[in-house]
Amino acid sequence: MATKIAPLSGFPEWLPTDRLTEQLVLDIVRETFELHGFVNIETRAVEPVERLLGKGGDADKEIYGVSRLAGDADERKDSDLGLHFDLTVPFARYVLENAGKLTFPFRRYQIQKVWRGERPQEGRYREFTQADIDIVGAGELPFHYEAEVPLVIADVFARLPIGPYRIQVNNRKIPEGFYLGIGFGPEQVAGVLRIVDKLDKVGGEAVHAALVEFGATDEQARQCLALARISATDTSFVAAVRALGVEHETLEAGLTELAAVMAAGMEHAPGVLVADLKVARGLDYYTGTVYETQLVGQEEYGSVCSGGRYDSLASDGRNTYPGVGISIGVSRLLGRLVPSGAIASSRPTPTCVLVALNTQEDRAAAASLAAALRGRGVATEVAPSAAKFGKQIRYADRRGIPYVWFPPLEPGAAHSVKDIRSGEQTEADPAAWVPPARDLRPQLIADPQE
């Protein structure tokens, strides 16, 4: 009896047209990262479980373990490998292993699959693609890099037809210093951060109740919510925080640093960065500036790009390599935009020209012609059979190929090429013809139905 094939929930597979859209997005991401001086690396898919544990806050319980099915019990136990749940933890390990061969500050980008064993839903997958940038220093990393990385993302998104967005920015030192200033102990800060970080998802009343259950007084819970509700597109958030009357040196350091980030954003990407003091990020390793990015009008979808500063993630006990990074959730972003038709490729195939066949005996000549066109960068394929020209044109139309090339029917006659969208057919020189620049390769377009 044949086994029924069914998709695995949380492991998305694009059809060719949507995969082409994804590749076009990744090309823009890659090119923009390189324009900013980031170099590419790729790390292995697995890490020792002991390294993954304790690095990801709530992600600890989502780690996929890896073992060899044919191994004996001791071998499986000793392996203790897990699939990485992000690209920052393996990158930190990579830096430690290769520190003597790297030049610091080290600027890297990485585009790879990651895995998380969470409940699949819209925008949440078990296997998905991330695109990361990180800047890592040896011993120290100047603060100005925390202002730089969100501006790189602003450059990426400016080139993508994704509509309006905003990058929410906070500094972990602000809530940490604030919580210490209102009487929480150092050991309570991480727990309070996790509770407040859920404000958008569960609402103020639920957060207040969770804080009280955690051990906060009603007044402490009220103050935590007052801080979390401060937001500004300029540096006015500083005065708003100080008006709450809480003092702590860590709080002041965070305010100064976040104000510098916002000032850079106001100069280079006005209106894009928003100081949002409820943003904390769930991962435990962040120590300074943190980022989340939302599509305007689709805030309920959550963040599509996030990251932050980490000071101790890459450390071997003697040397520490602080860093700052940000990650685009490529699968998450496209999981919202592609099905809705908000973003697409201008055509469903890279092929620009289909060379028609008069007879099957003409296939060798058609292949030579196709090779000549490819030599000039024109993606070309030969018709699958010498069917009637009308059928060959319909084949090109179904594939989304814009041009059909017709070799001459008689020796010495001219070649011609037809734009099957407009119906216009003109003579063409096989040694020189190229399509208009807009047709040479597929392009990303927004709202293709409009």
Side-chain angles (χ1 to χ4, degrees):
M1 182 176 181
T3 302
K4 183 179 180 180
I5 297 176
L8 285 176
S9 177
F11 295 84
E13 294 178 326
W14 295 117
L15 290 172
T17 299
D18 295 335
R19 171 58 175 161
L20 179 55
T21 300
E22 181 185 44
Q23 287 180 305
L24 292 172
V25 168
L26 291 176
D27 287 344
I28 290 173
V29 171
R30 184 182 302 108
E31 181 179 310
T32 307
F33 287 170
E34 291 181 356
L35 285 172
H36 283 267
F38 292 87
V39 297
N40 181 237
I41 68 166
E42 182 171 291
T43 57
R44 66 199 185 207
V46 298
E47 297 291 334
V49 170
E50 64 179 0
R51 177 153 188 83
L52 296 173
L53 291 173
K55 300 296 184 182
D58 292 340
D60 291 355
K61 60 188 178 184
E62 300 170 354
I63 296 169
Y64 277 111
V66 177
S67 64
R68 189 165 68 92
L69 293 179
D72 58 33
D74 289 337
E75 183 180 8
R76 290 197 299 271
K77 180 179 178 181
D78 291 342
S79 64
D80 285 333
L81 297 177
L83 294 171
H84 55 227
F85 59 82
D86 74 353
L87 297 178
T88 305
V89 172
F91 171 59
R93 185 266 310 158
Y94 178 94
V95 169
L96 292 175
E97 288 186 3
N98 297 283
K101 304 172 186 176
L102 303 176
T103 301
F104 295 95
F106 179 47
R107 304 166 68 92
R108 86 81 168 86
Y109 78 89
Q110 198 169 342
I111 302 174
Q112 284 183 237
K113 297 280 191 181
V114 299
W115 296 267
R116 292 183 188 175
E118 58 183 350
R119 183 173 65 84
Q121 53 188 298
E122 184 187 18
R124 296 281 184 182
Y125 308 110
R126 295 173 180 175
E127 178 185 71
F128 52 98
T129 299
Q130 287 189 332
D132 284 24
I133 54 170
D134 283 83
I135 305 173
V136 171
E140 62 179 8
L141 183 72
F143 167 76
H144 64 81
Y145 291 116
E146 294 178 50
E148 178 183 347
V149 294
L151 299 180
V152 177
I153 298 303
D155 277 0
V156 172
F157 283 5
R159 297 182 60 190
L160 295 175
I162 64 173
Y165 66 95
R166 62 167 176 257
I167 301 176
Q168 300 163 291
V169 190
N170 195 8
N171 190 297
R172 288 279 284 254
K173 296 176 184 177
I174 294 175
E176 289 174 4
F178 189 89
Y179 301 157
L180 293 171
I182 62 176
F184 284 109
E187 72 284 354
Q188 295 176 292
V189 168
V192 177
L193 279 170
R194 287 203 189 99
I195 294 171
V196 175
D197 193 42
K198 294 180 171 63
L199 179 59
D200 280 345
K201 296 180 181 179
V202 302
E205 290 186 7
V207 168
H208 188 284
L211 287 170
V212 171
E213 183 179 354
F214 182 73
T217 66
D218 281 336
E219 177 61 17
Q220 285 175 322
R222 185 193 65 78
Q223 288 178 300
C224 288
L225 285 170
L227 177 72
R229 287 171 173 146
I230 294 174
S231 178
T233 57
D234 53 25
T235 58
S236 62
F237 70 90
V238 177
V241 173
R242 288 177 176 156
L244 297 177
V246 178
E247 296 183 359
H248 195 278
E249 60 181 2
T250 302
L251 171 62
E252 285 301 312
L255 291 173
T256 299
E257 292 177 1
L258 184 56
V261 172
M262 290 302 300
M266 293 163 61
E267 179 179 357
H268 299 288
V272 172
L273 267 62
V274 178
D276 191 329
L277 303 194
K278 68 177 175 296
V279 174
R281 302 295 301 134
L283 299 177
D284 293 338
Y285 51 69
Y286 292 124
T287 57
T289 306
V290 288
Y291 321 96
E292 288 190 349
T293 306
Q294 293 185 333
L295 302 175
V296 174
Q298 303 181 64
E299 288 81 3
E300 80 289 348
Y301 192 61
S303 181
V304 296
C305 177
S306 57
R309 167 83 181 226
Y310 48 91
D311 284 326
S312 303
L313 182 60
S315 177
D316 59 8
R318 294 174 301 168
N319 302 297
T320 299
Y321 302 90
V324 60
I326 196 165
S327 172
I328 301 172
V330 177
S331 299
R332 180 169 173 78
L333 178 65
L334 296 184
R336 168 54 65 98
L337 298 177
V338 170
S340 69
I343 186 173
S345 170
S346 58
R347 64 177 187 256
T349 176
T351 305
C352 180
V353 175
L354 177 76
V355 178
L357 290 173
N358 298 324
T359 68
Q360 285 296 343
E361 288 71 27
D362 295 326
R363 183 169 293 279
S368 296
L369 173 58
L373 289 170
R374 294 185 199 114
R376 296 197 296 277
V378 182
T380 307
E381 61 183 87
V382 177
S385 67
K388 293 181 179 180
F389 284 156
K391 187 173 182 180
Q392 295 186 57
I393 292 172
R394 287 193 296 274
Y395 171 81
D397 186 45
R398 289 195 302 271
R399 291 283 312 285
I401 302 171
Y403 295 96
V404 176
W405 188 287
F406 295 101
L409 294 173
E410 299 176 358
H415 291 249
S416 65
V417 64
K418 181 172 186 172
D419 183 337
I420 65 172
R421 299 162 298 183
S422 66
E424 181 182 6
Q425 185 166 336
T426 58
E427 291 188 2
D429 181 356
W433 182 88
V434 292
R438 67 180 181 276
D439 289 333
L440 187 59
R441 293 180 179 84
Q443 306 293 319
L444 277 177
I445 56 175
D447 298 321
Q449 302 303 321
E450 295 186 355

